[in-house]
Amino acid sequence: MPTRVRSHAKVNLGLGIGAPRADGFHTLATVYQILELHDLVTVSAQPARAVEIRLTSNERRVPTDGRNTAWRMVELALAELGLTASIEIHIEKRLPVQGGLGAGSANAIAALAGLEAELQHQGLPIMYQNRDWLAKRLELAARVGSDVPLFLIGGTVLGLDRGQQVYPLPDIEPVWCVVAAPAVGVSTPQAFRDWDALCAAEGLTPEASTDKLNKLSRAYASAFAGAIPRERLKAGSSGVLPEHAQGEDLAGPQESALVRTGITSWIQNDFERVVFRQHPSLAEIKRFLADCQTPEAARPASCLLASLSGSGSALFGLYLTRRAAEAACERLQRAGVQVFLTRTLPREPYWRDMLEVS
């Protein structure tokens, strides 16, 4: 019987970028946060004499060949395990394509989780229960993409180097999140080229970047470390919004670590400096999310943080109450912007509810 897996989105709670390195990459420091918003990935596996992969999707823009991250992840895993199998993968897209939400990267890990479950169900030889395989999964994920490994941890995650070095942070209490998915397209390669030009103009060197990002990563770790007692995480949080929690205010003004630690006073996404210049409409959407018409003193009780996610074009806002989040949705919908209402998702329910039960 096929295995269906929730493939969750992520946002970046801050993103620091360094100057271009000699290898052409950029050193990053970021905090990834998993959301309840998700695609669905269905995987089936049958024994076969050779590796056969077939991939389908309800979204025509999703590659259905070896360019797809889910395809590559499964192919690498089978090769590493020394197994052959006939694999079918179906990706039901619910998340924006290329929106800065890590949807394709999450699909890769969802496909891996589905493959592992299928190998176990089909009675095929498996290795993934041992420690060596757990470490190998992270290595394979990094080969597929820089932000793929974060989905092997879930919850709140510190990302360093190219983003592929990932470390679990203490989870924040669940808060409401509004994701804005504008029709504007943002080219990540162009965003990096614009950032490189800005670094050259401002004289930011790779050496200076290292110092800047080291300080930023320590600030992230310090701000999140021990900020949220484990027992205060909402036990009812899951991969989907249960009906009884639809009106729930998930964290009060004195409870959210995003308020207590003052993180939101300094956390930022460096890409906004170049992306907003090229796409002023995205800066306007951020203002809608933050509700800049709200008196300054009232803002902490409304929007905790509004930001671009990754290089965009998706943006997000975090809110203490469902009422504030719904108000942001209404503002954006009146402006003709597609929105999604969701919540942040801690690590434990991320893994507990990843595999859907039929």
Side-chain angles (χ1 to χ4, degrees):
M1 183 174 180
T3 300
R4 192 158 70 161
V5 186
R6 293 188 178 99
S7 179
H8 291 274
K10 64 82 181 171
V11 290
N12 296 81
L13 304 182
L15 174 59
I17 313 170
R21 306 185 317 203
D23 61 4
F25 291 105
H26 298 73
T27 302
L28 309 175
T30 187
V31 175
Y32 300 112
Q33 176 59 55
I34 298 293
L35 304 180
E36 289 184 338
L37 197 64
H38 60 274
D39 289 335
L40 288 172
V41 176
T42 303
V43 180
S44 65
Q46 297 292 336
R49 293 185 177 181
V51 173
E52 303 169 359
I53 300 175
R54 189 168 75 91
L55 192 150
T56 58
S57 177
N58 64 323
E59 167 58 66
R60 60 179 179 80
R61 291 175 293 174
V62 172
T64 56
D65 53 22
R67 295 171 297 163
N68 190 287
T69 55
W71 179 303
R72 296 206 306 273
M73 188 76 248
V74 165
E75 191 172 48
L76 285 172
L78 288 173
E80 184 64 33
L81 292 169
L83 298 176
T84 58
S86 176
I87 309 295
E88 292 191 3
I89 305 169
H90 179 73
I91 300 175
E92 181 183 327
K93 294 303 292 183
R94 300 180 175 185
L95 303 174
V97 177
Q98 298 178 332
L101 298 174
S105 298
N107 291 166
I109 297 307
L112 176 64
L115 173 66
E116 292 173 342
E118 283 291 291
L119 294 180
Q120 189 170 26
H121 294 160
Q122 297 295 334
L124 297 175
I126 54 174
M127 296 171 55
Y128 65 84
Q129 292 172 327
N130 66 51
R131 184 176 58 188
D132 290 342
W133 176 242
L134 295 177
K136 179 59 68 172
R137 293 160 97 219
L138 283 166
E139 179 186 319
L140 297 179
R143 288 169 60 183
V144 175
S146 295
D147 62 352
V148 176
L150 80 96
F151 294 99
L152 285 171
I153 295 180
T156 307
V157 181
L158 178 65
L160 302 177
D161 193 19
R162 293 181 288 107
Q164 89 288 1
Q165 291 185 11
V166 288
Y167 306 90
L169 290 170
D171 282 313
I172 61 171
E173 300 98 340
V175 291
W176 292 100
C177 179
V178 174
V179 175
V184 172
V186 173
S187 165
T188 297
Q190 184 60 52
F192 272 114
R193 286 193 290 270
D194 293 341
W195 174 258
D196 294 348
L198 181 64
C199 290
E202 295 185 349
L204 181 63
T205 64
E207 294 72 26
S209 296
T210 299
D211 182 59
K212 162 195 163 183
L213 295 175
N214 283 342
K215 289 178 179 177
L216 181 58
S217 63
R218 288 194 295 268
Y220 284 148
S222 177
F224 282 90
I228 306 91
R230 182 178 176 83
E231 63 271 13
R232 285 168 57 181
L233 288 174
K234 299 288 184 180
S237 183
S238 66
V240 291
L241 289 170
E243 288 300 319
H244 70 271
Q246 291 290 315
E248 183 182 346
D249 290 345
L250 298 170
Q254 302 307 314
E255 293 179 348
S256 175
L258 294 173
V259 174
R260 280 199 313 277
T261 62
I263 298 170
T264 55
S265 66
W266 53 266
I267 201 166
Q268 63 181 13
N269 183 335
D270 281 347
F271 267 131
E272 291 184 2
R273 298 186 61 195
V274 293
V275 171
F276 285 177
R277 291 181 185 178
Q278 295 295 325
H279 305 281
S281 63
L282 299 184
E284 183 65 18
I285 290 172
K286 179 179 176 177
R287 286 191 286 271
F288 277 115
L289 285 164
D291 188 13
C292 289
Q293 287 71 45
T294 303
E296 189 72 29
R299 282 186 208 167
S302 176
C303 182
L304 297 172
L305 174 68
S307 177
L308 190 72
S309 183
S311 62
S313 59
L315 300 98
F316 69 94
L318 301 181
Y319 306 86
L320 290 175
T321 68
R322 183 181 179 94
R323 180 178 178 181
E326 288 177 336
C329 287
E330 291 173 5
R331 291 192 296 272
L332 289 161
Q333 287 170 334
R334 286 197 298 268
V337 179
Q338 183 183 24
V339 295
F340 300 87
L341 178 61
T342 184
R343 302 184 294 193
T344 60
L345 184 64
R347 191 168 300 114
E348 184 176 340
Y350 171 73
W351 286 106
R352 184 186 67 222
D353 300 324
M354 179 180 283
L355 298 185
E356 283 210 326
V357 178
S358 300

PDB file of all heavy atoms in Angstrom, residues 197-228:
ATOM      1  N   ALA A 197      27.012  42.574  -6.034  1.00  0.00           N
ATOM      2  CA  ALA A 197      27.280  43.955  -6.428  1.00  0.00           C
ATOM      3  C   ALA A 197      27.212  44.886  -5.220  1.00  0.00           C
ATOM      4  O   ALA A 197      28.021  45.820  -5.085  1.00  0.00           O
ATOM      5  CB  ALA A 197      26.277  44.400  -7.499  1.00  0.00           C
ATOM      6  N   LEU A 198      26.260  44.631  -4.323  1.00  0.00           N
ATOM      7  CA  LEU A 198      26.141  45.440  -3.113  1.00  0.00           C
ATOM      8  C   LEU A 198      27.358  45.247  -2.211  1.00  0.00           C
ATOM      9  O   LEU A 198      27.885  46.211  -1.648  1.00  0.00           O
ATOM     10  CB  LEU A 198      24.863  45.061  -2.365  1.00  0.00           C
ATOM     11  CG  LEU A 198      24.565  45.848  -1.077  1.00  0.00           C
ATOM     12  CD1 LEU A 198      24.332  47.318  -1.386  1.00  0.00           C
ATOM     13  CD2 LEU A 198      23.346  45.252  -0.373  1.00  0.00           C
ATOM     14  N   CYS A 199      27.823  43.991  -2.077  1.00  0.00           N
ATOM     15  CA  CYS A 199      29.015  43.720  -1.274  1.00  0.00           C
ATOM     16  C   CYS A 199      30.226  44.461  -1.830  1.00  0.00           C
ATOM     17  O   CYS A 199      31.026  45.037  -1.074  1.00  0.00           O
ATOM     18  CB  CYS A 199      29.309  42.220  -1.234  1.00  0.00           C
ATOM     19  SG  CYS A 199      28.138  41.254  -0.276  1.00  0.00           S
ATOM     20  N   ALA A 200      30.366  44.446  -3.165  1.00  0.00           N
ATOM     21  CA  ALA A 200      31.492  45.146  -3.787  1.00  0.00           C
ATOM     22  C   ALA A 200      31.405  46.644  -3.543  1.00  0.00           C
ATOM     23  O   ALA A 200      32.411  47.302  -3.238  1.00  0.00           O
ATOM     24  CB  ALA A 200      31.519  44.850  -5.289  1.00  0.00           C
ATOM     25  N   ALA A 201      30.198  47.196  -3.650  1.00  0.00           N
ATOM     26  CA  ALA A 201      30.016  48.634  -3.444  1.00  0.00           C
ATOM     27  C   ALA A 201      30.300  49.043  -2.001  1.00  0.00           C
ATOM     28  O   ALA A 201      30.811  50.140  -1.740  1.00  0.00           O
ATOM     29  CB  ALA A 201      28.598  49.036  -3.838  1.00  0.00           C
ATOM     30  N   GLU A 202      29.974  48.154  -1.055  1.00  0.00           N
ATOM     31  CA  GLU A 202      30.146  48.483   0.364  1.00  0.00           C
ATOM     32  C   GLU A 202      31.452  47.957   0.942  1.00  0.00           C
ATOM     33  O   GLU A 202      31.747  48.170   2.121  1.00  0.00           O
ATOM     34  CB  GLU A 202      28.969  47.928   1.167  1.00  0.00           C
ATOM     35  CG  GLU A 202      27.636  48.581   0.795  1.00  0.00           C
ATOM     36  CD  GLU A 202      26.493  48.117   1.684  1.00  0.00           C
ATOM     37  OE1 GLU A 202      26.688  47.143   2.447  1.00  0.00           O
ATOM     38  OE2 GLU A 202      25.413  48.733   1.621  1.00  0.00           O
ATOM     39  N   GLY A 203      32.241  47.257   0.113  1.00  0.00           N
ATOM     40  CA  GLY A 203      33.536  46.758   0.562  1.00  0.00           C
ATOM     41  C   GLY A 203      33.464  45.606   1.538  1.00  0.00           C
ATOM     42  O   GLY A 203      34.387  45.397   2.336  1.00  0.00           O
ATOM     43  N   LEU A 204      32.380  44.810   1.472  1.00  0.00           N
ATOM     44  CA  LEU A 204      32.251  43.654   2.359  1.00  0.00           C
ATOM     45  C   LEU A 204      33.048  42.493   1.766  1.00  0.00           C
ATOM     46  O   LEU A 204      32.727  41.995   0.698  1.00  0.00           O
ATOM     47  CB  LEU A 204      30.786  43.257   2.528  1.00  0.00           C
ATOM     48  CG  LEU A 204      30.516  42.061   3.455  1.00  0.00           C
ATOM     49  CD1 LEU A 204      30.946  42.371   4.882  1.00  0.00           C
ATOM     50  CD2 LEU A 204      29.043  41.655   3.416  1.00  0.00           C
ATOM     51  N   THR A 205      34.104  42.081   2.469  1.00  0.00           N
ATOM     52  CA  THR A 205      34.971  41.009   2.005  1.00  0.00           C
ATOM     53  C   THR A 205      34.553  39.671   2.620  1.00  0.00           C
ATOM     54  O   THR A 205      33.840  39.644   3.625  1.00  0.00           O
ATOM     55  CB  THR A 205      36.429  41.292   2.400  1.00  0.00           C
ATOM     56  OG1 THR A 205      36.512  41.279   3.838  1.00  0.00           O
ATOM     57  CG2 THR A 205      36.892  42.634   1.857  1.00  0.00           C
ATOM     58  N   PRO A 206      35.017  38.547   2.043  1.00  0.00           N
ATOM     59  CA  PRO A 206      34.720  37.246   2.665  1.00  0.00           C
ATOM     60  C   PRO A 206      35.226  37.172   4.105  1.00  0.00           C
ATOM     61  O   PRO A 206      34.596  36.557   4.965  1.00  0.00           O
ATOM     62  CB  PRO A 206      35.448  36.252   1.758  1.00  0.00           C
ATOM     63  CG  PRO A 206      35.482  36.930   0.421  1.00  0.00           C
ATOM     64  CD  PRO A 206      35.662  38.391   0.725  1.00  0.00           C
ATOM     65  N   GLU A 207      36.388  37.803   4.383  1.00  0.00           N
ATOM     66  CA  GLU A 207      36.941  37.776   5.729  1.00  0.00           C
ATOM     67  C   GLU A 207      36.039  38.528   6.702  1.00  0.00           C
ATOM     68  O   GLU A 207      35.757  38.062   7.819  1.00  0.00           O
ATOM     69  CB  GLU A 207      38.349  38.382   5.732  1.00  0.00           C
ATOM     70  CG  GLU A 207      39.392  37.600   4.969  1.00  0.00           C
ATOM     71  CD  GLU A 207      39.232  37.674   3.457  1.00  0.00           C
ATOM     72  OE1 GLU A 207      38.653  38.686   2.977  1.00  0.00           O
ATOM     73  OE2 GLU A 207      39.666  36.745   2.758  1.00  0.00           O
ATOM     74  N   ALA A 208      35.596  39.709   6.284  1.00  0.00           N
ATOM     75  CA  ALA A 208      34.691  40.482   7.137  1.00  0.00           C
ATOM     76  C   ALA A 208      33.354  39.767   7.295  1.00  0.00           C
ATOM     77  O   ALA A 208      32.723  39.823   8.352  1.00  0.00           O
ATOM     78  CB  ALA A 208      34.470  41.876   6.544  1.00  0.00           C
ATOM     79  N   SER A 209      32.943  39.070   6.236  1.00  0.00           N
ATOM     80  CA  SER A 209      31.700  38.309   6.292  1.00  0.00           C
ATOM     81  C   SER A 209      31.764  37.225   7.357  1.00  0.00           C
ATOM     82  O   SER A 209      30.796  36.979   8.086  1.00  0.00           O
ATOM     83  CB  SER A 209      31.411  37.644   4.943  1.00  0.00           C
ATOM     84  OG  SER A 209      31.204  38.597   3.943  1.00  0.00           O
ATOM     85  N   THR A 210      32.921  36.560   7.434  1.00  0.00           N
ATOM     86  CA  THR A 210      33.073  35.481   8.407  1.00  0.00           C
ATOM     87  C   THR A 210      32.846  35.990   9.821  1.00  0.00           C
ATOM     88  O   THR A 210      32.122  35.369  10.621  1.00  0.00           O
ATOM     89  CB  THR A 210      34.471  34.844   8.293  1.00  0.00           C
ATOM     90  OG1 THR A 210      34.629  34.299   6.980  1.00  0.00           O
ATOM     91  CG2 THR A 210      34.669  33.757   9.331  1.00  0.00           C
ATOM     92  N   ASP A 211      33.445  37.124  10.132  1.00  0.00           N
ATOM     93  CA  ASP A 211      33.272  37.701  11.469  1.00  0.00           C
ATOM     94  C   ASP A 211      31.815  38.091  11.711  1.00  0.00           C
ATOM     95  O   ASP A 211      31.242  37.789  12.768  1.00  0.00           O
ATOM     96  CB  ASP A 211      34.173  38.933  11.611  1.00  0.00           C
ATOM     97  CG  ASP A 211      34.080  39.551  12.998  1.00  0.00           C
ATOM     98  OD1 ASP A 211      34.369  38.844  13.987  1.00  0.00           O
ATOM     99  OD2 ASP A 211      33.701  40.735  13.099  1.00  0.00           O
ATOM    100  N   LYS A 212      31.199  38.714  10.708  1.00  0.00           N
ATOM    101  CA  LYS A 212      29.802  39.131  10.817  1.00  0.00           C
ATOM    102  C   LYS A 212      28.874  37.940  11.058  1.00  0.00           C
ATOM    103  O   LYS A 212      28.017  37.968  11.952  1.00  0.00           O
ATOM    104  CB  LYS A 212      29.388  39.859   9.533  1.00  0.00           C
ATOM    105  CG  LYS A 212      27.886  39.986   9.307  1.00  0.00           C
ATOM    106  CD  LYS A 212      27.572  40.381   7.863  1.00  0.00           C
ATOM    107  CE  LYS A 212      26.120  40.105   7.511  1.00  0.00           C
ATOM    108  NZ  LYS A 212      25.806  40.401   6.100  1.00  0.00           N
ATOM    109  N   LEU A 213      29.073  36.878  10.288  1.00  0.00           N
ATOM    110  CA  LEU A 213      28.174  35.737  10.377  1.00  0.00           C
ATOM    111  C   LEU A 213      28.434  34.891  11.617  1.00  0.00           C
ATOM    112  O   LEU A 213      27.511  34.279  12.155  1.00  0.00           O
ATOM    113  CB  LEU A 213      28.265  34.903   9.109  1.00  0.00           C
ATOM    114  CG  LEU A 213      27.787  35.627   7.843  1.00  0.00           C
ATOM    115  CD1 LEU A 213      28.025  34.770   6.604  1.00  0.00           C
ATOM    116  CD2 LEU A 213      26.308  35.987   7.941  1.00  0.00           C
ATOM    117  N   ASN A 214      29.699  34.833  12.066  1.00  0.00           N
ATOM    118  CA  ASN A 214      29.976  34.139  13.321  1.00  0.00           C
ATOM    119  C   ASN A 214      29.256  34.808  14.491  1.00  0.00           C
ATOM    120  O   ASN A 214      28.676  34.141  15.351  1.00  0.00           O
ATOM    121  CB  ASN A 214      31.481  34.108  13.588  1.00  0.00           C
ATOM    122  CG  ASN A 214      32.208  33.075  12.754  1.00  0.00           C
ATOM    123  OD1 ASN A 214      31.587  32.156  12.215  1.00  0.00           O
ATOM    124  ND2 ASN A 214      33.514  33.205  12.630  1.00  0.00           N
ATOM    125  N   LYS A 215      29.305  36.137  14.505  1.00  0.00           N
ATOM    126  CA  LYS A 215      28.609  36.870  15.560  1.00  0.00           C
ATOM    127  C   LYS A 215      27.094  36.656  15.465  1.00  0.00           C
ATOM    128  O   LYS A 215      26.408  36.493  16.468  1.00  0.00           O
ATOM    129  CB  LYS A 215      28.930  38.359  15.465  1.00  0.00           C
ATOM    130  CG  LYS A 215      30.356  38.717  15.863  1.00  0.00           C
ATOM    131  CD  LYS A 215      30.616  40.205  15.709  1.00  0.00           C
ATOM    132  CE  LYS A 215      32.041  40.562  16.129  1.00  0.00           C
ATOM    133  NZ  LYS A 215      32.322  42.012  15.916  1.00  0.00           N
ATOM    134  N   LEU A 216      26.591  36.639  14.228  1.00  0.00           N
ATOM    135  CA  LEU A 216      25.153  36.461  14.035  1.00  0.00           C
ATOM    136  C   LEU A 216      24.711  35.068  14.473  1.00  0.00           C
ATOM    137  O   LEU A 216      23.684  34.923  15.145  1.00  0.00           O
ATOM    138  CB  LEU A 216      24.798  36.686  12.565  1.00  0.00           C
ATOM    139  CG  LEU A 216      23.311  36.562  12.195  1.00  0.00           C
ATOM    140  CD1 LEU A 216      22.470  37.549  12.992  1.00  0.00           C
ATOM    141  CD2 LEU A 216      23.118  36.778  10.692  1.00  0.00           C
ATOM    142  N   SER A 217      25.481  34.036  14.110  1.00  0.00           N
ATOM    143  CA  SER A 217      25.100  32.673  14.497  1.00  0.00           C
ATOM    144  C   SER A 217      25.132  32.501  16.004  1.00  0.00           C
ATOM    145  O   SER A 217      24.272  31.824  16.581  1.00  0.00           O
ATOM    146  CB  SER A 217      26.018  31.648  13.814  1.00  0.00           C
ATOM    147  OG  SER A 217      27.358  31.804  14.220  1.00  0.00           O
ATOM    148  N   ARG A 218      26.097  33.130  16.682  1.00  0.00           N
ATOM    149  CA  ARG A 218      26.134  33.059  18.147  1.00  0.00           C
ATOM    150  C   ARG A 218      24.939  33.785  18.753  1.00  0.00           C
ATOM    151  O   ARG A 218      24.378  33.349  19.756  1.00  0.00           O
ATOM    152  CB  ARG A 218      27.445  33.640  18.673  1.00  0.00           C
ATOM    153  CG  ARG A 218      28.662  32.755  18.414  1.00  0.00           C
ATOM    154  CD  ARG A 218      29.855  33.190  19.238  1.00  0.00           C
ATOM    155  NE  ARG A 218      30.331  34.512  18.858  1.00  0.00           N
ATOM    156  CZ  ARG A 218      31.274  34.727  17.946  1.00  0.00           C
ATOM    157  NH1 ARG A 218      31.827  33.696  17.304  1.00  0.00           N
ATOM    158  NH2 ARG A 218      31.676  35.947  17.670  1.00  0.00           N
ATOM    159  N   ALA A 219      24.553  34.899  18.131  1.00  0.00           N
ATOM    160  CA  ALA A 219      23.383  35.639  18.616  1.00  0.00           C
ATOM    161  C   ALA A 219      22.115  34.806  18.460  1.00  0.00           C
ATOM    162  O   ALA A 219      21.264  34.770  19.357  1.00  0.00           O
ATOM    163  CB  ALA A 219      23.251  36.961  17.866  1.00  0.00           C
ATOM    164  N   TYR A 220      21.978  34.126  17.303  1.00  0.00           N
ATOM    165  CA  TYR A 220      20.825  33.243  17.105  1.00  0.00           C
ATOM    166  C   TYR A 220      20.780  32.166  18.189  1.00  0.00           C
ATOM    167  O   TYR A 220      19.758  31.923  18.831  1.00  0.00           O
ATOM    168  CB  TYR A 220      20.905  32.555  15.736  1.00  0.00           C
ATOM    169  CG  TYR A 220      20.563  33.410  14.538  1.00  0.00           C
ATOM    170  CD1 TYR A 220      21.189  33.178  13.310  1.00  0.00           C
ATOM    171  CD2 TYR A 220      19.605  34.415  14.613  1.00  0.00           C
ATOM    172  CE1 TYR A 220      20.876  33.935  12.187  1.00  0.00           C
ATOM    173  CE2 TYR A 220      19.286  35.170  13.499  1.00  0.00           C
ATOM    174  CZ  TYR A 220      19.927  34.933  12.287  1.00  0.00           C
ATOM    175  OH  TYR A 220      19.616  35.674  11.181  1.00  0.00           O
ATOM    176  N   ALA A 221      21.915  31.478  18.363  1.00  0.00           N
ATOM    177  CA  ALA A 221      21.965  30.369  19.315  1.00  0.00           C
ATOM    178  C   ALA A 221      21.661  30.850  20.726  1.00  0.00           C
ATOM    179  O   ALA A 221      20.935  30.194  21.481  1.00  0.00           O
ATOM    180  CB  ALA A 221      23.330  29.689  19.258  1.00  0.00           C
ATOM    181  N   SER A 222      22.215  32.005  21.093  1.00  0.00           N
ATOM    182  CA  SER A 222      21.992  32.542  22.433  1.00  0.00           C
ATOM    183  C   SER A 222      20.539  32.939  22.635  1.00  0.00           C
ATOM    184  O   SER A 222      19.960  32.689  23.700  1.00  0.00           O
ATOM    185  CB  SER A 222      22.902  33.753  22.661  1.00  0.00           C
ATOM    186  OG  SER A 222      22.658  34.339  23.923  1.00  0.00           O
ATOM    187  N   ALA A 223      19.938  33.532  21.619  1.00  0.00           N
ATOM    188  CA  ALA A 223      18.561  34.002  21.747  1.00  0.00           C
ATOM    189  C   ALA A 223      17.579  32.844  21.906  1.00  0.00           C
ATOM    190  O   ALA A 223      16.606  32.947  22.656  1.00  0.00           O
ATOM    191  CB  ALA A 223      18.179  34.841  20.526  1.00  0.00           C
ATOM    192  N   PHE A 224      17.854  31.744  21.213  1.00  0.00           N
ATOM    193  CA  PHE A 224      16.914  30.618  21.261  1.00  0.00           C
ATOM    194  C   PHE A 224      17.225  29.621  22.373  1.00  0.00           C
ATOM    195  O   PHE A 224      16.353  28.885  22.794  1.00  0.00           O
ATOM    196  CB  PHE A 224      16.910  29.878  19.916  1.00  0.00           C
ATOM    197  CG  PHE A 224      16.116  30.577  18.853  1.00  0.00           C
ATOM    198  CD1 PHE A 224      16.709  31.512  18.024  1.00  0.00           C
ATOM    199  CD2 PHE A 224      14.772  30.307  18.689  1.00  0.00           C
ATOM    200  CE1 PHE A 224      15.986  32.166  17.041  1.00  0.00           C
ATOM    201  CE2 PHE A 224      14.031  30.953  17.703  1.00  0.00           C
ATOM    202  CZ  PHE A 224      14.642  31.888  16.885  1.00  0.00           C
ATOM    203  N   ALA A 225      18.471  29.576  22.834  1.00  0.00           N
ATOM    204  CA  ALA A 225      18.873  28.541  23.791  1.00  0.00           C
ATOM    205  C   ALA A 225      18.088  28.646  25.091  1.00  0.00           C
ATOM    206  O   ALA A 225      18.114  29.657  25.773  1.00  0.00           O
ATOM    207  CB  ALA A 225      20.367  28.642  24.080  1.00  0.00           C
ATOM    208  N   GLY A 226      17.411  27.576  25.413  1.00  0.00           N
ATOM    209  CA  GLY A 226      16.692  27.505  26.683  1.00  0.00           C
ATOM    210  C   GLY A 226      15.553  28.488  26.824  1.00  0.00           C
ATOM    211  O   GLY A 226      15.034  28.685  27.924  1.00  0.00           O
ATOM    212  N   ALA A 227      15.120  29.104  25.726  1.00  0.00           N
ATOM    213  CA  ALA A 227      14.095  30.148  25.827  1.00  0.00           C
ATOM    214  C   ALA A 227      12.711  29.580  26.085  1.00  0.00           C
ATOM    215  O   ALA A 227      11.866  30.247  26.668  1.00  0.00           O
ATOM    216  CB  ALA A 227      14.068  30.980  24.537  1.00  0.00           C
ATOM    217  N   ILE A 228      12.480  28.343  25.690  1.00  0.00           N
ATOM    218  CA  ILE A 228      11.131  27.792  25.776  1.00  0.00           C
ATOM    219  C   ILE A 228      11.151  26.476  26.536  1.00  0.00           C
ATOM    220  O   ILE A 228      11.672  25.477  26.040  1.00  0.00           O
ATOM    221  CB  ILE A 228      10.515  27.556  24.378  1.00  0.00           C
ATOM    222  CG1 ILE A 228      10.565  28.838  23.550  1.00  0.00           C
ATOM    223  CG2 ILE A 228       9.083  27.083  24.486  1.00  0.00           C
ATOM    224  CD1 ILE A 228      11.777  28.984  22.724  1.00  0.00           C
TER     225      ILE A 228
END
